[in-house]
Protein backbone atom coordinates (compact mmCIF):
# COMPACT_ATOMS: atom_id res chain seq x y z
CA UNK A 1 0.00 0.00 0.00
CA UNK A 2 1.29 3.45 -0.90
CA UNK A 3 2.61 5.50 2.01
CA UNK A 4 1.45 9.07 2.30
CA UNK A 5 4.18 11.66 2.78
CA UNK A 6 3.63 15.28 3.64
CA UNK A 7 5.76 18.25 4.61
CA UNK A 8 5.69 19.70 8.12
CA UNK A 9 5.61 23.49 8.58
CA UNK A 10 9.35 23.59 9.27
CA UNK A 11 10.18 21.62 6.15
CA UNK A 12 8.43 24.12 3.88
CA UNK A 13 10.28 27.14 2.53
CA UNK A 14 9.34 30.25 0.58
CA UNK A 15 9.62 29.57 -3.15
CA UNK A 16 8.94 25.82 -2.79
CA UNK A 17 6.75 24.52 -5.62
CA UNK A 18 4.59 21.50 -6.44
CA UNK A 19 2.17 20.48 -9.15
CA UNK A 20 -0.78 18.12 -9.54
CA UNK A 21 -2.65 17.14 -12.72
CA UNK A 22 -6.03 15.68 -13.55
CA UNK A 23 -7.74 14.81 -16.82
CA UNK A 24 -11.30 16.15 -16.70
CA UNK A 25 -13.62 13.53 -18.16
CA UNK A 26 -17.36 13.25 -18.76
CA UNK A 27 -17.79 11.27 -15.54
CA UNK A 28 -16.18 14.05 -13.48
CA UNK A 29 -18.77 16.58 -14.68
CA UNK A 30 -21.60 14.15 -13.89
CA UNK A 31 -20.12 13.34 -10.49
CA UNK A 32 -19.65 16.99 -9.57
CA UNK A 33 -23.32 17.62 -10.43
CA UNK A 34 -24.48 14.62 -8.40
CA UNK A 35 -22.34 15.62 -5.43
CA UNK A 36 -23.11 19.34 -5.30
CA UNK A 37 -26.60 19.47 -6.78
CA UNK A 38 -25.36 21.94 -9.40
CA UNK A 39 -27.46 21.09 -12.47
CA UNK A 40 -26.57 24.20 -14.48
CA UNK A 41 -27.34 23.28 -18.12
CA UNK A 42 -24.07 24.90 -19.26
CA UNK A 43 -22.45 21.76 -17.80
CA UNK A 44 -25.07 19.08 -18.49
CA UNK A 45 -27.23 20.02 -21.48
CA UNK A 46 -25.55 19.79 -24.88
CA UNK A 47 -28.32 21.64 -26.74
CA UNK A 48 -28.44 24.53 -24.28
CA UNK A 49 -24.66 24.75 -24.04
CA UNK A 50 -24.42 25.05 -27.84
CA UNK A 51 -26.25 28.40 -27.52
CA UNK A 52 -23.95 29.70 -24.75
CA UNK A 53 -20.87 31.88 -25.26
CA UNK A 54 -18.58 28.82 -25.26
CA UNK A 55 -20.66 26.83 -27.77
CA UNK A 56 -20.27 23.57 -25.85
CA UNK A 57 -20.59 22.11 -22.36
CA UNK A 58 -17.92 23.23 -19.90
CA UNK A 59 -16.77 21.85 -16.53
CA UNK A 60 -18.00 23.44 -13.31
CA UNK A 61 -15.54 26.11 -12.11
CA UNK A 62 -15.50 24.56 -8.66
CA UNK A 63 -14.43 21.23 -10.12
CA UNK A 64 -11.12 23.03 -10.65
CA UNK A 65 -11.41 24.08 -6.98
CA UNK A 66 -11.73 20.40 -6.04
CA UNK A 67 -8.54 19.59 -7.97
CA UNK A 68 -6.74 22.43 -6.15
CA UNK A 69 -7.83 20.82 -2.88
CA UNK A 70 -6.24 17.55 -4.02
CA UNK A 71 -3.01 19.34 -4.98
CA UNK A 72 -2.72 20.70 -1.45
CA UNK A 73 -3.65 17.42 0.24
CA UNK A 74 -1.52 15.13 -1.88
CA UNK A 75 1.51 17.28 -2.82
CA UNK A 76 2.13 20.48 -0.83
CA UNK A 77 1.92 20.55 2.16
CA UNK A 78 0.54 17.03 1.63
CA UNK A 79 -1.56 14.70 3.80
CA UNK A 80 -2.59 15.91 7.22
CA UNK A 81 -2.76 19.58 6.19
CA UNK A 82 -5.75 21.74 7.01
CA UNK A 83 -7.37 23.96 4.40
CA UNK A 84 -7.88 27.49 5.71
CA UNK A 85 -8.96 29.39 2.65
CA UNK A 86 -8.81 29.88 -1.10
CA UNK A 87 -9.29 32.61 -3.64
CA UNK A 88 -10.02 31.61 -7.22
CA UNK A 89 -10.61 33.58 -10.38
CA UNK A 90 -11.86 31.47 -13.29
CA UNK A 91 -10.31 32.97 -16.42
CA UNK A 92 -10.92 30.36 -19.11
CA UNK A 93 -13.39 27.46 -19.32
CA UNK A 94 -12.27 23.87 -18.72
CA UNK A 95 -13.69 21.55 -21.38
CA UNK A 96 -14.31 17.82 -21.31
CA UNK A 97 -11.06 16.06 -22.19
CA UNK A 98 -8.84 18.88 -20.87
CA UNK A 99 -5.94 17.98 -18.62
CA UNK A 100 -5.54 20.62 -15.95
CA UNK A 101 -2.41 21.15 -13.87
CA UNK A 102 -2.34 22.97 -10.55
CA UNK A 103 0.92 24.80 -9.86
CA UNK A 104 1.61 25.84 -6.29
CA UNK A 105 4.33 28.12 -4.96
CA UNK A 106 4.85 29.05 -1.31
CA UNK A 107 4.82 32.84 -0.98
CA UNK A 108 4.29 33.44 2.75
CA UNK A 109 4.86 31.68 6.09
CA UNK A 110 3.38 32.96 9.33
CA UNK A 111 5.40 31.39 12.14
CA UNK A 112 3.12 32.31 15.07
CA UNK A 113 0.13 30.45 13.62
CA UNK A 114 2.00 28.06 11.29
CA UNK A 115 -0.08 29.31 8.34
CA UNK A 116 1.24 28.98 4.81
CA UNK A 117 0.08 30.98 1.78
CA UNK A 118 0.68 29.69 -1.72
CA UNK A 119 0.24 31.19 -5.12
CA UNK A 120 -2.03 28.84 -7.07
CA UNK A 121 -2.30 28.76 -10.85
CA UNK A 122 -4.14 26.18 -12.92
CA UNK A 123 -3.30 25.63 -16.59
CA UNK A 124 -4.82 23.45 -19.30
CA UNK A 125 -2.84 21.26 -21.71
CA UNK A 126 -2.37 24.27 -24.04
CA UNK A 127 -0.78 26.23 -21.19
CA UNK A 128 -3.76 28.58 -20.92
CA UNK A 129 -4.45 29.86 -17.41
CA UNK A 130 -7.88 28.50 -16.42
CA UNK A 131 -7.88 29.64 -12.78
CA UNK A 132 -5.65 31.51 -10.35
CA UNK A 133 -5.62 32.68 -6.78
CA UNK A 134 -4.09 31.95 -3.40
CA UNK A 135 -4.33 28.91 -1.14
CA UNK A 136 -4.07 29.26 2.64
CA UNK A 137 -3.21 26.10 4.61
CA UNK A 138 -1.79 24.84 7.86
CA UNK A 139 0.76 22.04 7.46
CA UNK A 140 0.71 19.00 9.74
CA UNK A 141 2.84 19.83 12.81
CA UNK A 142 4.25 16.29 12.87
CA UNK A 143 5.73 14.15 10.12
CA UNK A 144 2.98 11.94 8.80
CA UNK A 145 3.58 8.27 8.15
CA UNK A 146 0.41 6.53 7.17
CA UNK A 147 -0.87 4.17 4.49
CA UNK A 148 -2.90 5.88 1.78
CA UNK A 149 -6.59 5.29 2.54
CA UNK A 150 -8.24 3.15 -0.18
CA UNK A 151 -9.65 5.27 -3.03
CA UNK A 152 -13.43 5.02 -3.16
CA UNK A 153 -14.79 4.02 -6.58
CA UNK A 154 -18.15 5.11 -7.96
CA UNK A 155 -20.23 3.97 -10.86
CA UNK A 156 -22.88 5.96 -12.75
CA UNK A 157 -26.22 4.14 -12.40
CA UNK B 1 -40.06 17.64 -15.46
CA UNK B 2 -39.02 20.55 -13.31
CA UNK B 3 -38.40 23.80 -15.18
CA UNK B 4 -35.25 25.70 -14.37
CA UNK B 5 -35.71 29.38 -13.60
CA UNK B 6 -32.94 31.91 -13.27
CA UNK B 7 -32.63 35.65 -12.90
CA UNK B 8 -31.24 37.83 -15.68
CA UNK B 9 -28.77 40.61 -14.84
CA UNK B 10 -31.53 43.25 -14.99
CA UNK B 11 -33.78 41.30 -12.63
CA UNK B 12 -31.13 41.21 -9.89
CA UNK B 13 -30.88 44.04 -7.39
CA UNK B 14 -28.46 45.00 -4.62
CA UNK B 15 -29.55 43.40 -1.34
CA UNK B 16 -31.30 40.45 -3.04
CA UNK B 17 -30.77 37.21 -1.11
CA UNK B 18 -31.04 33.46 -1.64
CA UNK B 19 -30.13 30.33 0.24
CA UNK B 20 -29.35 26.69 -0.56
CA UNK B 21 -28.91 23.75 1.84
CA UNK B 22 -27.29 20.37 1.70
CA UNK B 23 -26.91 17.56 4.23
CA UNK B 24 -23.29 16.34 4.14
CA UNK B 25 -23.29 12.56 4.32
CA UNK B 26 -20.66 9.84 4.32
CA UNK B 27 -21.14 9.27 0.58
CA UNK B 28 -20.43 12.95 -0.18
CA UNK B 29 -17.00 12.70 1.48
CA UNK B 30 -16.22 9.51 -0.43
CA UNK B 31 -17.45 11.02 -3.70
CA UNK B 32 -15.43 14.21 -3.26
CA UNK B 33 -12.31 12.08 -2.69
CA UNK B 34 -13.01 9.94 -5.73
CA UNK B 35 -13.68 12.98 -7.90
CA UNK B 36 -10.77 15.18 -6.85
CA UNK B 37 -8.15 12.61 -5.88
CA UNK B 38 -7.92 14.23 -2.42
CA UNK B 39 -7.20 11.28 -0.10
CA UNK B 40 -6.22 13.36 2.93
CA UNK B 41 -6.62 11.00 5.93
CA UNK B 42 -8.31 13.78 7.94
CA UNK B 43 -11.31 13.05 5.69
CA UNK B 44 -11.01 9.31 5.11
CA UNK B 45 -9.15 7.61 7.96
CA UNK B 46 -11.00 7.33 11.25
CA UNK B 47 -7.95 6.29 13.28
CA UNK B 48 -5.76 9.10 11.95
CA UNK B 49 -8.54 11.69 12.27
CA UNK B 50 -9.01 10.75 15.94
CA UNK B 51 -5.46 12.10 16.56
CA UNK B 52 -6.10 15.38 14.70
CA UNK B 53 -7.21 18.65 16.31
CA UNK B 54 -10.85 17.90 15.53
CA UNK B 55 -10.81 14.38 16.94
CA UNK B 56 -12.88 12.95 14.09
CA UNK B 57 -13.11 12.90 10.30
CA UNK B 58 -14.19 16.19 8.71
CA UNK B 59 -15.51 17.05 5.26
CA UNK B 60 -13.18 18.52 2.64
CA UNK B 61 -13.29 22.33 2.72
CA UNK B 62 -13.85 22.44 -1.02
CA UNK B 63 -16.93 20.24 -0.65
CA UNK B 64 -18.44 23.38 0.86
CA UNK B 65 -17.12 25.19 -2.23
CA UNK B 66 -19.03 22.72 -4.40
CA UNK B 67 -22.24 23.45 -2.49
CA UNK B 68 -21.65 27.19 -3.01
CA UNK B 69 -21.39 26.48 -6.73
CA UNK B 70 -24.80 24.78 -6.58
CA UNK B 71 -26.32 27.72 -4.67
CA UNK B 72 -25.26 30.07 -7.48
CA UNK B 73 -26.36 27.75 -10.28
CA UNK B 74 -29.68 26.73 -8.80
CA UNK B 75 -30.82 29.79 -6.82
CA UNK B 76 -29.10 33.12 -7.52
CA UNK B 77 -28.51 34.07 -10.30
CA UNK B 78 -29.66 30.54 -11.19
CA UNK B 79 -29.23 28.32 -14.25
CA UNK B 80 -27.26 29.71 -17.16
CA UNK B 81 -25.00 31.85 -14.96
CA UNK B 82 -21.23 31.82 -15.37
CA UNK B 83 -18.91 31.49 -12.39
CA UNK B 84 -16.17 34.13 -12.47
CA UNK B 85 -14.55 33.75 -9.10
CA UNK B 86 -14.80 32.90 -5.44
CA UNK B 87 -13.06 33.69 -2.18
CA UNK B 88 -13.55 31.30 0.73
CA UNK B 89 -12.25 31.25 4.26
CA UNK B 90 -12.96 28.01 6.11
CA UNK B 91 -13.63 28.95 9.73
CA UNK B 92 -15.08 25.82 11.28
CA UNK B 93 -14.99 22.16 10.18
CA UNK B 94 -18.02 20.51 8.53
CA UNK B 95 -18.68 17.10 10.03
CA UNK B 96 -20.50 14.08 8.63
CA UNK B 97 -24.21 14.58 9.25
CA UNK B 98 -24.03 18.39 9.26
CA UNK B 99 -26.57 20.29 7.20
CA UNK B 100 -24.90 23.33 5.65
CA UNK B 101 -26.76 26.34 4.29
CA UNK B 102 -25.26 28.81 1.83
CA UNK B 103 -26.59 32.35 2.21
CA UNK B 104 -26.03 34.74 -0.67
CA UNK B 105 -26.59 38.49 -0.82
CA UNK B 106 -25.96 40.72 -3.84
CA UNK B 107 -23.54 43.49 -2.85
CA UNK B 108 -22.30 44.86 -6.19
CA UNK B 109 -23.42 45.10 -9.82
CA UNK B 110 -21.09 46.19 -12.58
CA UNK B 111 -23.28 47.28 -15.49
CA UNK B 112 -20.59 47.54 -18.19
CA UNK B 113 -19.59 43.88 -17.85
CA UNK B 114 -22.80 42.56 -16.25
CA UNK B 115 -20.79 41.14 -13.35
CA UNK B 116 -22.45 40.51 -10.00
CA UNK B 117 -20.68 40.18 -6.64
CA UNK B 118 -22.38 38.44 -3.75
CA UNK B 119 -21.51 38.07 -0.12
CA UNK B 120 -21.44 34.35 0.62
CA UNK B 121 -21.75 32.83 4.08
CA UNK B 122 -22.18 29.16 4.91
CA UNK B 123 -23.63 28.03 8.24
CA UNK B 124 -24.13 24.64 9.84
CA UNK B 125 -27.33 23.50 11.61
CA UNK B 126 -26.12 25.13 14.85
CA UNK B 127 -25.77 28.47 13.05
CA UNK B 128 -21.98 28.36 13.24
CA UNK B 129 -20.21 30.04 10.31
CA UNK B 130 -18.28 27.30 8.50
CA UNK B 131 -17.12 29.34 5.50
CA UNK B 132 -17.39 32.87 4.15
CA UNK B 133 -16.26 34.93 1.20
CA UNK B 134 -17.48 36.52 -2.00
CA UNK B 135 -18.89 34.99 -5.17
CA UNK B 136 -18.43 36.68 -8.54
CA UNK B 137 -20.80 35.65 -11.33
CA UNK B 138 -22.29 36.74 -14.62
CA UNK B 139 -26.05 36.21 -14.89
CA UNK B 140 -27.59 34.80 -18.03
CA UNK B 141 -28.36 37.75 -20.36
CA UNK B 142 -31.63 36.14 -21.45
CA UNK B 143 -34.44 34.62 -19.44
CA UNK B 144 -33.86 30.89 -19.28
CA UNK B 145 -36.68 28.44 -19.84
CA UNK B 146 -35.42 24.91 -19.92
CA UNK B 147 -36.23 21.55 -18.36
CA UNK B 148 -33.93 20.56 -15.53
CA UNK B 149 -31.32 18.12 -16.90
CA UNK B 150 -31.70 14.66 -15.29
CA UNK B 151 -29.62 14.34 -12.09
CA UNK B 152 -26.86 11.78 -12.51
CA UNK B 153 -26.85 9.07 -9.83
CA UNK B 154 -23.74 7.30 -8.59
CA UNK B 155 -23.21 4.21 -6.50
CA UNK B 156 -20.16 3.34 -4.39
CA UNK B 157 -18.67 0.09 -5.75
Amino acid sequence: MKQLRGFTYDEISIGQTASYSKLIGEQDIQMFSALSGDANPVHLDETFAATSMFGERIAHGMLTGAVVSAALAMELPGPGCLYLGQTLRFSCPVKIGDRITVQLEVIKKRDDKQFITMNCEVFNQDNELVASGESMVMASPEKLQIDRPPSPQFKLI
Side-chain angles (χ1 to χ4, degrees), chain A:
Chain A
M1 192 176 277
K2 200 189 158 199
Q3 281 265 312
L4 292 180
R5 280 165 213 277
F7 295 94
T8 64
Y9 182 83
D10 292 338
E11 289 173 332
I12 294 173
S13 48
I14 305 284
Q16 192 166 339
T17 61
S19 70
Y20 180 89
S21 283
K22 178 173 166 67
L23 181 69
I24 303 297
E26 175 63 40
Q27 172 147 329
D28 297 311
I29 313 280
Q30 302 280 344
M31 203 183 266
F32 189 93
S33 287
L35 174 63
S36 63
D38 182 336
N40 196 333
V42 300
H43 311 302
L44 297 178
D45 184 313
E46 202 111 18
T47 313
F48 174 81
T51 69
S52 75
M53 77 168 76
F54 304 117
E56 62 181 294
R57 291 193 301 139
I58 60 171
H60 305 74
M62 265 305 162
L63 177 48
T64 295
V67 180
V68 169
S69 161
L72 302 169
M74 306 313 285
E75 298 297 336
L76 185 66
C81 73
L82 289 179
Y83 208 171
L84 302 173
Q86 180 71 46
T87 63
L88 274 177
R89 182 175 166 267
F90 305 116
S91 45
C92 173
V94 173
K95 299 185 173 178
I96 297 161
D98 279 359
R99 174 169 285 279
I100 60 172
T101 301
V102 180
Q103 295 190 348
L104 301 169
E105 181 179 359
V106 179
I107 54 171
K108 215 184 297 178
K109 288 184 73 181
R110 188 177 152 177
D111 291 347
D112 59 335
K113 298 236 177 187
Q114 311 236 315
F115 291 174
I116 290 163
T117 304
M118 284 182 273
N119 191 44
C120 170
E121 292 185 317
V122 188
F123 295 91
N124 66 15
Q125 66 283 353
D126 298 322
N127 219 28
E128 291 168 306
L129 185 71
V130 298
S132 57
E134 285 186 2
S135 308
M136 283 72 71
V137 293
M138 194 186 223
S140 176
E142 285 160 36
K143 193 78 188 166
L144 185 75
Q145 283 211 314
I146 186 176
D147 290 335
R148 187 191 159 111
S151 296
Q153 301 289 325
F154 284 85
K155 190 178 152 203
L156 188 60
I157 53 173

